[in-house]
Amino acid sequence: MPSMKAFRIHNDDAGYRGAIDTMDTDALSPGEVLVKADYSSVNYKDALAGTGKGKILRQYPLNGGIDVAGTVVASTDPAFREGDKVLATGSGLSETRDGGYGEYVKLPAALTIPLPATLSTREAMILGTAGFTAALALLRMLDNRQRPDMGPIAITGATGGVGMLGVDIFTRAGFQVHAVSGKPDHFDFLRTIGAAECIDRHQLAFSGKPMDSARYGGMLDNVGGAMLAGFLPLIAPYGNAAICGLAGSPELPTTVMPFIIRGVSVLGVASAGTARDIRDEVWKRLAGEWKPRHLDTICTKEVALEDVASVFETMLSGGSFGRTLVRIAG
């Protein structure tokens, strides 16, 4: 195979750095399926890894990018053939093995998902880990008997990738969504992708009581901290709070009252290590009845592989909006 370009992250005597390198495909982390990448995406975890501001990689050097979609060019596993379209998200990419920020990636067959016929590789990466996380949260909530008639779903951090895709996905599944964001200038946008109501987080005034009037059937939380603690007393009996982020804080200053009086459940959403059978179910839903109607709108930025590092600092400072797609193929 020819040499390839990749955004490769090093941590050695010369310091921590990520940059476009040229490498041999034989040096890629091992895997049965060799994929020519079409697209990847930029997630918060990618920005942390690319800048060194978070301890993401467990070994060095590695190619960045926790998502990838492309075309199989060689496979030693009979489940995949040359020309097959595939995707992978999380699963150790850019953590313990080379990720999707390269012209090629080798994937273990167990981590390789056949691309559903109703998704293009571009659509799959607009979804990526963000869409997978939002859909996994919804699946967990439904498994725990969440219903639309229990009340609206509050989605915090609604202008981020998980938040925006969550608005669209939950709306597609029949839920009324109330989008919570500190960026009121984007409220019209949130309404166009399905939000029934938009709430300025700066205007929120939680009572501070351990219990308050039930106003929400459940929530998808990307923020943590005081925001999550403030919403828990507002969730209806046997509603669910699906937790997938900590943009505000990793702390949770709350009481047990919502859990022992109303039966509220907190559901952790850890997308990276999701079991294969659940992955297959989530992607089946995302390609079917939960497929967002506004993917092209939610993709607010597209960059070439060579420019991927240019978006990291903006994302880490809270300035990102929507999904950023990384175009790998020329």
Side-chain angles (χ1 to χ4, degrees):
M1 293 297 297
S3 62
M4 55 173 277
K5 290 187 300 183
F7 179 83
R8 197 154 178 83
I9 301 168
H10 299 261
N11 189 11
D12 51 28
D13 291 342
Y16 194 104
R17 64 201 184 279
I20 299 296
D21 285 352
T22 299
M23 62 181 292
D24 196 289
T25 53
D26 288 341
L28 288 167
S29 304
E32 297 87 10
V33 187
L34 178 64
V35 177
K36 188 177 189 301
D38 291 342
Y39 293 97
S40 183
S41 63
V42 182
N43 301 278
Y44 196 80
K45 194 172 181 180
D46 295 315
L48 290 172
T51 60
K53 293 184 178 180
K55 294 181 179 179
I56 306 300
L57 275 65
R58 300 183 187 177
Q59 62 188 64
Y60 300 90
L62 285 179
N63 297 343
I66 65 172
D67 297 339
V68 69
T71 306
V72 175
V73 294
S75 174
T76 60
D77 189 293
F80 298 96
R81 297 179 297 177
E82 183 179 350
D84 287 349
K85 299 291 186 180
V86 297
L87 67 92
T89 59
S91 307
L93 295 177
S94 186
E95 186 176 353
T96 59
R97 59 182 304 106
D98 287 311
Y101 291 168
E103 293 179 304
Y104 293 89
V105 61
K106 286 181 181 177
L107 300 172
L111 305 181
T112 308
I113 306 293
L115 184 75
T118 55
L119 288 177
S120 66
T121 52
R122 185 177 190 276
E123 289 175 323
M125 288 297 95
I126 296 173
L127 287 165
T129 285
F132 181 85
T133 299
L136 178 60
L138 176 54
L139 186 67
R140 291 216 64 198
M141 292 170 76
L142 292 175
D143 285 345
N144 208 38
R145 305 185 69 177
Q146 190 75 46
R147 303 187 314 274
D149 62 7
M150 293 167 69
I153 300 296
I155 297 184
T156 62
T159 54
V162 176
M164 278 190 188
L165 288 162
V167 169
D168 206 333
I169 290 166
F170 276 74
T171 301
R172 284 280 278 154
F175 289 88
Q176 184 184 97
V177 172
H178 290 190
V180 183
S181 172
K183 301 174 181 177
D185 52 322
H186 293 314
F187 282 0
D188 286 344
F189 182 97
L190 291 171
R191 292 186 185 99
T192 66
I193 63 172
E197 185 174 325
C198 295
I199 303 166
D200 186 346
R201 69 174 174 85
H202 300 296
Q203 304 300 320
L204 283 170
F206 298 119
S207 70
K209 298 176 182 177
M211 296 291 292
D212 210 332
S213 300
R215 301 174 215 170
Y216 298 96
M219 73 181 300
L220 171 60
D221 181 63
N222 294 283
V223 176
M227 179 77 74
L228 172 56
F231 270 98
L232 286 172
L234 308 179
I235 295 179
Y238 294 96
N240 296 282
I243 313 304
C244 63
L246 41 64
S249 170
E251 304 295 327
L252 182 53
T254 190
T255 75
V256 300
M257 302 298 276
F259 315 126
I260 66 174
I261 293 179
R262 288 200 181 130
V264 171
S265 294
V266 171
L267 305 178
V269 182
S271 62
T274 305
R276 177 57 188 263
D277 62 326
I278 300 176
R279 284 185 183 277
D280 289 340
E281 178 63 22
V282 169
W283 282 107
K284 177 182 176 182
R285 301 283 187 105
L286 282 171
E289 68 267 30
W290 293 355
K291 183 178 180 180
R293 293 188 174 96
H294 307 93
L295 285 174
D296 284 335
T297 303
I298 291 170
C299 179
T300 54
K301 190 177 185 68
E302 182 172 331
V303 297
L305 174 63
E306 291 80 1
D307 299 320
V308 65
S310 67
V311 303
F312 292 159
E313 292 293 346
T314 300
M315 178 169 282
L316 293 178
S317 65
S320 62
F321 175 65
R323 287 286 281 164
T324 297
L325 192 69
V326 182
R327 185 177 62 259
I328 309 293

